[in-house]
Amino acid sequence: GQNIDQPTEMTATEGAIVQINCTYQTSGFNGLFWYQQHAGEAPTFLSYNVLDGLEEKGRFSSFLSRSKGYSYLLLKELQMKDSASYLCAVRGGDYKLSFGAGTTVTVRA
Amino acid sequence: IAGITQAPTSQILAAGRRMTLRCTQDMRHNAMYWYRQDLGLGLRLIHYSNTAGTTGKGEVPDGYSVSRANTDDFPLTLASAVPSQTSVYFCASSATSGSVDTQYFGPGTRLTVL
């Protein structure tokens, strides 16, 4: 089975940095994805990691350590529009995605 | 505009009724998926199709069926709806079922079974 854990909620101030951690235990590993989901909308793709290390994409960065079963998503220079749920998803040995329950980030002025 | 469409946007259904949720994509993606999203549980895979003519069971397939007659359409049918099937349903697609292909999601269908 798959087990993916991430915090339920986080709050941060506009302009600050927030780090969302994700730990996983899965049957096989073929990559880790981060999705953003605004309330009432569909998830949208943010980042993909398959090798250890940091992937940077503008204000967002994602890190992966396969040996530790650990990833984080780093959101820099937070904006009000970044208030959303962030979903960690692992592609297992069967190439199917297993999702964490999501982390709701609230950005306050 | 290329993408995935789902219909209906929302539906209230009496228990025991049959319901088909529609999903169409115009990106010529081979793989398609159905997920349900429930508060505190995240997205869970119901059924998937790696290519037209084939389907497979996901994590929570009971009470649901799918078909994949062509590349573009992937309907999800609830033969006899029950209240526990109240959820938000998302259809997704990816170019293939493996490698680094990203899944793209439709706007969702909010289903309430009374």
Side-chain angles (χ1 to χ4, degrees):
Chain A
Q2 323 286 45
N3 188 28
I4 300 167
D5 290 315
Q6 51 182 129
T8 303
E9 296 180 330
M10 302 183 75
T11 301
T13 305
E14 196 174 15
I17 298 172
V18 69
Q19 177 175 315
I20 306 169
N21 296 323
C22 173
T23 59
Y24 63 89
Q25 292 176 307
T26 58
S27 301
F29 179 82
N30 283 295
L32 187 143
F33 294 78
W34 285 95
Y35 282 82
Q36 181 190 59
Q37 185 177 24
H38 286 100
E41 298 183 8
T44 55
F45 170 75
L46 282 180
S47 69
Y48 169 75
N49 295 70
V50 67
L51 299 176
D52 290 351
L54 188 68
E55 293 282 342
E56 297 187 82
K57 196 183 284 187
R59 294 188 298 112
F60 294 178
S61 303
S62 57
F63 172 82
L64 174 67
S65 169
R66 289 172 296 172
S67 63
K68 296 182 179 179
Y70 168 71
S71 173
Y72 68 72
L73 179 69
L74 195 68
L75 285 62
K76 294 176 278 190
E77 300 170 20
L78 278 173
Q79 302 176 9
M80 299 301 288
K81 67 179 181 179
D82 297 330
S83 291
S85 285
Y86 292 85
L87 314 180
C88 174
V90 176
R91 176 176 277 154
D94 59 357
Y95 286 93
K96 299 298 176 288
L97 286 183
S98 293
F99 285 82
T103 299
T104 299
V105 172
T106 301
V107 181
R108 294 185 171 166
Chain B
I1 297 176
I4 303 176
T5 58
Q6 292 184 236
T9 302
S10 65
Q11 182 75 45
I12 298 174
L13 190 66
R17 298 295 296 269
R18 181 184 179 90
M19 177 73 191
T20 295
L21 308 186
R22 299 184 298 279
C23 175
T24 300
Q25 53 99 2
D26 62 3
M27 298 178 283
R28 307 305 294 171
H29 283 175
N30 282 315
M32 297 186 75
Y33 313 85
W34 274 105
Y35 294 89
R36 59 178 290 172
Q37 186 173 37
D38 303 290
L39 195 63
L41 293 178
L43 286 155
R44 291 181 292 169
L45 182 65
I46 305 171
H47 283 287
Y48 64 91
S49 169
N50 289 336
T51 189
T54 70
T55 63
K57 294 182 179 180
E59 180 185 353
V60 288
D62 294 343
Y64 306 94
S65 63
V66 291
S67 61
R68 187 88 184 277
N70 57 61
T71 298
D72 298 344
D73 301 300
F74 191 42
L76 176 74
T77 297
L78 290 66
S80 179
V82 296
S84 62
Q85 292 177 311
T86 293
S87 187
V88 181
Y89 291 85
F90 286 100
C91 179
S93 72
S94 61
T96 67
S97 58
S99 189
V100 300
D101 291 329
T102 300
Q103 289 188 19
Y104 296 92
F105 286 80
T109 293
R110 184 174 296 274
L111 182 67
T112 301
V113 182
L114 301 176

